[in-house]
Amino acid sequence: MSELFDAVDALVASRSALPPTEERKRLRIAHGLTLDEVAGALKVRRATVSAWESVKKPTEPRGPEREAYARMLKQLAELYPAQVPATFTGAPDSAEAEPVSAEPASEPAGAPAHVTPQVPASDLADPAPAAAARTASTTRPTSTSRRPGTRKAAPAGIPAGGTDPRFENGPLAVVDVADDGQVLAYCTGGLVLDVPAKSLPSLAEWTLKEAKLGALKLSGPGKDADPLLVLTQAALERYSLPVTLTEEERLAGRIPEGHKVIKQLTRADWKLTKRGFGPWARVYRPAQGSERSCVQLCIPSWNALDSRHWDTAGQLPPAELARLLGVYASRVMTPRGSTAVTGLELMTALHPATRASAPDATGKRHSEHNPGSLGNDPVDPAPCEAPDGHPVLKDLPRFHVRGPAEKLFEEAYDWARPLTDAECTLRHLVGIDVNMAFAAGANGLNVGLGAPTHVTNPVFDPKLPGSWLVDLSHVDLSKVKVGKEWVELDGSLLPSPFTPKGERPEGPAWYATPTVAYAVELGYEVRPLEAWLRYENGRYLDGWYNRLRDAYLATMADLGVDADLAPADFLAAMDGYQTRDPELAIVATAIKATVKGGIGKLRERPRGEGWRPGEPWRALSRPTWRPDIRAAVISRTRVNLHRKIVKHAAFTGQYPVAILSDCVVYAAGGPTPLDFLPYRDGKPLPGGFKLGVNPGLVKHEGTQSVLWGEEVRERFNAPELNLARYIKDGTVTDVDNGE
């Protein structure tokens, strides 16, 4: 009989009632769950859960998954009734809010400090809830009250469904001071800890011994992420630090060595890195075995969170800032400095220089080179790859200007041309922008891992990374190969793919491998004169690209821009997406800045430091100082864009008016990209521009009128003024034009 009952229960469960798709997504987001977390719990793919929530093409779960999914939604509906606003308007990784409660419960064994419930971050914009939150926080209850089934935030690198007890409170905390003087640490997931530390040295001690902050390593041979503390202005005052830096301190990037807080740290046996106590400071003690003793500090009021990349993050209330940085930390990594520094550190975190060897005869392991990494030792660039002033160029005559035959100059596009008569009869100038263009350029790219080898009269090999001296002036864009077919184009309306300014080369010049390979792809023979080649190579940036791509797509999906939207739906979803959840929009911006900044850091120039030409500067001591890798990424990004432009021109007869980096402007009869992109039955031109959120696809950058463009160029007497620079909002000033 029991078997019959079980069969009936299973049959009923297979038809479990489910709420509408919009409600399913609302409930998931309200509890701070990501698609990955739900998919992991139900043992299905992420795309499956996304389809269950899709409005356009919904699918229904079946079998045991339906029963479990219905059970989850029922529990969430009890926690978040439809008339109650969701906790967050977007879904950060493992970010959830605690209900305000004044009733104490039993304190968890071994709790580092009193844990105080916190209101949802979205409520902090309202003074009344904020006051209630502060009151609840400052009562300092002797125990914790938690909603049944709630989780603490999962640190970065930890898969859904489990946390490391060492880091159970998340990767970071924002330290603030309550109205009653109590120091509070706002963690991810709405958690708030009481901080007993009375000085900065004791704050570091508390962080390492009691706070349970940090994150697991991103790769097997790597290291766990150090805890990050973000100090508000009130916290700076409490710990005797200046709220803002003086002009002298700002230029130096640090407070003076004689500051009393630095003396406190020294007396307590804490050390600072060479960059001193600045906006991003690291305090540490020498490692004991495999145990690290290091705490990183972020100080927003010292411009640690640059507004160009973090927008208004530095002005957010503590709980909201913890949520924002927590999402970034879980999807990218715990910030290690600026977005550029973090982008570079992410490369090393995913490909550490060393790993543990196999046990020797005595069973002992040793440190050895990690295959596929850049190693621990920096390598000198080839002379053509070195920027001006590098030590490998110290024997050049003073004031010598290197030309294309001496210097590798792979940079992004800055090109424009006058409009044709036919284009002037159209009404609009429409800009499209390639999503995460440099990330897409890094995807699958073979780059050098070791030092270069000089070769004369080499045979070109498109699979071999390096720098090639070759004459590409014979490549004629009026007749090129597109696929296997030769096509005729108006070469005068196209930029050269070989120079950033789009000018045709005049003789031999140095190029990275992707640029020379593209000349071959266009149907032309190449005969290099010499080359600097890297025979030790690999796809070093693949893991870096994958993590940043996933972080960007997950964040954009939480903002309502999914990867599978139809072209018109994608344009509609992108319209005003930043306003749906301004904090998550900042995360998306920071992820994009991490890509560009990380690539830029591969060729970091001197930053003061009393440097003189011919002398080494600090960045050269890093194995990640690799101008050749930067050049290869930019080269591939530029030719990827040119390839799409050529295919578009061959198919439609339309040519770009201006290009700036990853933004391309076309003259069109209508105001949207769909007015000139050749979609048929919803399908784009193969190999051409495609609308979408994935890296390498394009979005609408902005639209202005043709009359606007002509008026601007006439006003500045610049027939080839790059309109792509101003297409987004149409604002042009004398400063923008460099006059």
Side-chain angles (χ1 to χ4, degrees):
M1 184 64 71
S2 62
E3 294 180 358
L4 292 176
F5 287 166
D6 291 342
V8 170
D9 290 344
L11 185 62
V12 173
S14 70
R15 301 292 189 272
S16 297
L18 296 174
T21 55
E22 298 95 331
E23 178 66 3
R24 300 172 196 177
K25 185 173 184 178
R26 184 191 73 80
L27 291 172
R28 173 178 63 80
I29 292 175
H31 201 59
L33 298 174
T34 65
L35 292 170
D36 290 324
E37 289 175 319
V38 175
L42 300 180
K43 295 181 172 57
V44 297
R45 295 185 303 116
R46 183 183 190 274
T48 301
V49 180
S50 179
W52 293 346
E53 296 180 357
S54 174
V55 176
K56 293 289 183 182
K57 298 179 180 179
T59 61
E60 292 296 308
R62 299 178 180 178
E65 290 84 6
R66 184 183 182 95
E67 178 182 3
Y69 189 49
R71 182 183 181 88
M72 181 194 77
L73 293 174
K74 181 179 179 182
Q75 293 179 4
L76 292 178
E78 293 174 355
L79 293 172
Y80 308 100
Q83 66 271 21
V84 178
T87 300
F88 290 134
T89 56
D93 271 2
S94 308
E96 64 177 349
E98 298 284 336
V100 176
S101 173
E103 296 182 10
S106 58
E107 184 168 1
H114 298 307
V115 183
T116 308
Q118 178 63 21
V119 298
S122 57
D123 288 346
L124 290 181
D126 183 10
R134 182 68 75 184
T135 301
S137 298
T138 56
T139 54
R140 300 174 62 187
T142 58
S143 56
T144 306
S145 175
R146 298 188 65 84
R147 183 171 60 243
T150 57
R151 302 165 292 103
K152 292 183 179 179
I158 296 181
T163 61
D164 188 304
R166 296 173 300 159
F167 311 134
E168 66 178 25
N169 291 332
L172 57 89
V174 179
V175 181
D176 192 29
V177 181
D179 293 339
D180 68 347
Q182 173 62 40
V183 181
L184 304 174
Y186 292 78
C187 307
T188 57
L191 188 69
V192 181
L193 306 177
D194 283 353
V195 181
K198 304 299 183 184
S199 66
L200 198 64
S202 61
L203 178 64
E205 294 278 3
W206 172 83
T207 302
L208 293 174
K209 294 181 178 179
E210 300 182 58
K212 296 187 177 181
L213 296 172
L216 283 181
K217 57 190 177 183
L218 297 180
S219 65
K223 300 175 182 178
D224 294 334
D226 298 318
L228 171 65
L229 296 181
V230 184
L231 304 182
T232 66
Q233 294 187 20
L236 293 174
E237 293 177 343
R238 168 57 60 91
Y239 294 118
S240 302
L241 288 165
V243 171
T244 58
L245 298 179
T246 65
E247 183 65 17
E248 182 179 355
E249 292 168 343
R250 187 186 63 79
L251 293 174
R254 63 182 73 187
I255 59 176
E257 296 293 330
H259 194 281
K260 66 177 182 180
V261 171
I262 296 181
K263 292 180 179 179
Q264 290 175 0
L265 291 168
T266 302
R267 287 195 297 268
D269 296 325
W270 289 102
K271 298 180 181 296
L272 291 166
T273 59
K274 290 182 179 179
R275 62 182 173 184
F277 203 121
W280 290 92
R282 299 182 71 80
V283 296
Y284 71 97
R285 286 174 178 151
Q288 301 295 325
S290 61
E291 292 296 321
R292 290 166 57 85
S293 297
C294 183
V295 177
Q296 179 152 310
L297 303 175
C298 167
I299 305 177
S301 65
W302 295 5
N303 200 35
L305 302 176
D306 191 323
S307 60
R308 293 172 298 176
H309 309 137
W310 291 101
D311 197 38
T312 59
Q315 286 77 53
L316 289 175
E320 296 184 31
L321 181 56
R323 179 221 172 188
L324 185 156
L325 293 176
V327 175
Y328 180 89
S330 63
R331 294 181 177 176
V332 180
M333 69 180 298
T334 305
R336 296 285 303 272
S338 67
T339 50
V341 169
T342 303
L344 198 68
E345 291 286 343
L346 181 61
M347 297 179 194
T348 305
L350 294 168
H351 274 293
T354 58
R355 68 178 184 182
S357 68
D360 60 16
T362 64
K364 188 176 181 180
R365 296 179 183 270
H366 306 275
S367 178
E368 66 177 15
H369 174 71
N370 184 26
S373 75
L374 298 182
N376 268 326
D377 300 320
V379 297
D380 281 336
C384 63
E385 298 165 350
D388 294 337
H390 191 280
V392 301
L393 305 174
K394 62 182 179 181
D395 294 332
L396 286 178
R398 192 177 183 186
F399 304 122
H400 175 73
V401 178
R402 294 185 294 161
E406 298 176 276
K407 181 179 180 180
L408 178 69
F409 193 63
E410 295 283 11
E411 298 295 341
Y413 267 129
D414 185 356
W415 169 87
R417 63 169 175 82
L419 273 66
T420 65
D421 292 342
E423 289 167 340
C424 288
T425 65
L426 301 174
R427 297 183 60 187
H428 301 282
L429 295 173
V430 183
I432 53 177
D433 181 78
V434 181
N435 292 314
M436 295 181 71
F438 295 102
N443 182 28
L445 179 63
N446 203 32
V447 300
L449 301 177
T453 300
H454 186 249
V455 182
T456 57
N457 298 315
V459 175
F460 177 67
D461 183 351
K463 297 181 180 179
L464 194 57
S467 301
W468 308 78
L469 180 62
V470 58
D471 188 350
L472 299 180
S473 61
H474 63 291
V475 177
D476 184 4
L477 295 181
S478 64
K479 187 177 182 181
V480 297
K481 265 190 175 181
V482 178
K484 296 181 179 180
E485 301 291 331
W486 284 92
V487 298
E488 293 186 359
L489 302 171
D490 188 342
S492 66
L493 301 180
L494 285 171
S496 167
F498 310 127
T499 62
K501 292 292 185 181
E503 301 164 343
R504 188 168 179 167
E506 296 180 352
W510 286 98
Y511 303 100
T513 297
T515 302
V516 185
Y518 186 56
V520 175
E521 180 185 327
L522 291 175
Y524 290 86
E525 183 182 14
V526 297
R527 295 181 179 178
L529 303 174
E530 59 178 299
W532 288 89
L533 305 177
R534 288 176 164 81
Y535 295 102
E536 181 189 356
N537 51 70
R539 292 166 57 158
Y540 173 71
L541 295 173
D542 274 10
W544 183 81
Y545 162 78
N546 289 332
R547 186 159 181 89
L548 289 165
R549 174 204 60 198
D550 292 347
Y552 181 70
L553 291 181
T555 305
M556 292 302 290
D558 289 339
L559 287 164
V561 185
D562 294 316
D564 57 354
L565 292 174
D569 295 332
F570 168 71
L571 292 175
M574 287 294 294
D575 187 18
Y577 76 92
Q578 301 97 328
T579 62
R580 293 175 199 141
D581 189 324
E583 293 166 26
L584 282 182
I586 293 174
V587 174
T589 299
I591 293 170
K592 291 187 289 185
T594 302
V595 172
K596 285 189 175 181
I599 297 299
K601 274 282 184 179
L602 291 168
R603 198 191 69 165
E604 184 177 358
R605 301 305 309 275
R607 305 177 65 182
E609 309 166 12
W611 174 79
R612 293 181 179 179
E615 296 179 351
W617 57 92
R618 189 166 59 188
L620 300 188
S621 63
R622 297 193 320 250
T624 50
W625 193 85
R626 292 295 300 272
D628 58 297
I629 295 179
R630 173 187 177 274
V633 172
I634 295 176
S635 163
R636 190 153 182 253
T637 302
R638 194 181 65 248
V639 300
N640 281 350
L641 182 60
H642 195 274
R643 183 183 296 111
K644 289 181 171 63
I645 290 170
V646 165
K647 289 192 175 183
H648 184 86
F651 189 80
T652 68
Q654 298 170 337
Y655 295 84
V657 171
I659 310 173
L660 182 68
S661 186
D662 47 11
C663 176
V664 188
V665 176
Y666 282 90
T672 79
L674 289 176
D675 291 305
F676 69 92
L677 294 183
Y679 274 85
R680 287 185 177 178
D681 299 324
K683 296 181 180 180
L685 171 68
F689 294 111
K690 179 182 178 181
L691 290 165
V693 73
N694 278 288
L697 305 189
V698 299
K699 62 180 182 293
H700 184 202
E701 178 70 5
T703 296
Q704 305 297 329
S705 69
V706 168
L707 290 177
W708 164 86
E710 292 298 277
E711 186 276 330
V712 164
R713 285 177 165 178
E714 183 178 349
R715 188 197 330 161
F716 291 103
N717 193 26
E720 297 184 3
L721 180 70
N722 195 333
L723 300 175
R725 192 182 306 276
Y726 318 106
I727 196 71
K728 190 167 189 175
D729 62 10
T731 302
V732 186
T733 66
D734 292 347
V735 175
D736 290 335
N737 195 34
E739 295 182 0

